[in-house]
Amino acid sequence: MTNTITFPGENTPAFPAVALDLPDDWREIVVAGTVLAGAKSVPEGEFRPNVVVALSRFARGYTLDDAIRTVTEKVESIDGAVELGRDDHEVLGRPGFRIEFSYPDPRVGTLMQGVRIAVIEHGAVADLVQITATATGTQATELWGELRDVQSSLSEATAGVA
């Protein structure tokens, strides 16, 4: 006899449906390991400032504190990383966390990233929502507010709606 399990299923609900609002000069892109991604249009050959959304599944009991610890440890492990700020920050209408930092990149010079996270518990699982904004240091001086606005636009969407 066999058992059949499904996704989504009783113990494995679908991931949260999410949406991002992109400015007119941005476009949707496909980035491995993410569920949504958008990038600003730039001349060919330039780094594309972008915002990506990733969802990761954990067992029930995975907490925002667990996620904060993991993200901050990752930032601290990056050679040359300089933390620019962190705070509690609402994400998808839930308690969340934000950390922003820069680090040297041999291809483009300095990169700046901002990561926002929240944990959504439902049923037997907890889903980590991570929204990451990235730009070069030079781009960030002019565009960081725009990248933050795109991050802030993340909302829950109706499943299946484009």
Side-chain angles (χ1 to χ4, degrees):
M1 174 151 234
T2 63
N3 290 319
T4 301
I5 59 175
T6 62
F7 176 81
E10 183 178 330
N11 291 313
T12 53
F15 282 112
V18 292
L20 275 179
D21 295 328
L22 301 178
D24 288 339
D25 60 341
W26 283 58
R27 63 184 174 84
E28 184 174 11
I29 59 173
V30 175
V31 176
T34 69
V35 295
L36 280 179
K40 186 169 181 69
S41 297
V42 296
E44 190 167 330
E46 286 187 24
F47 182 86
R48 290 185 300 185
N50 62 81
V51 173
V52 301
V53 180
L55 300 173
S56 303
R57 172 88 12 119
F58 294 87
R60 183 171 186 79
Y62 185 78
T63 67
L64 180 60
D65 287 339
D66 295 328
I68 291 169
R69 188 172 34 263
T70 299
V71 168
T72 56
E73 286 173 359
K74 176 67 175 167
V75 170
E76 291 166 359
S77 75
I78 299 170
D79 285 341
V82 176
E83 185 177 319
L84 304 171
R86 69 169 75 180
D87 61 5
D88 294 332
H89 192 84
E90 189 174 281
V91 174
L92 291 174
R94 294 169 172 76
F97 176 77
R98 172 177 61 190
I99 187 169
E100 295 180 345
F101 56 98
S102 65
Y103 60 95
D105 181 280
R107 298 162 296 175
V108 296
T110 299
L111 279 178
M112 183 163 167
Q113 287 194 312
V115 178
R116 298 180 187 190
I117 57 173
V119 174
I120 301 173
E121 284 192 7
H122 47 122
V125 301
D127 292 325
L128 171 64
V129 179
Q130 182 170 317
I131 312 103
T132 304
T134 307
T136 68
T138 302
Q139 292 167 332
T141 61
E142 292 183 23
L143 300 174
W144 200 248
E146 185 174 336
L147 284 130
R148 281 179 169 172
D149 288 346
V150 172
Q151 283 182 302
S152 293
S153 78
L154 186 72
S155 62
E156 292 190 70
T158 305
V161 173

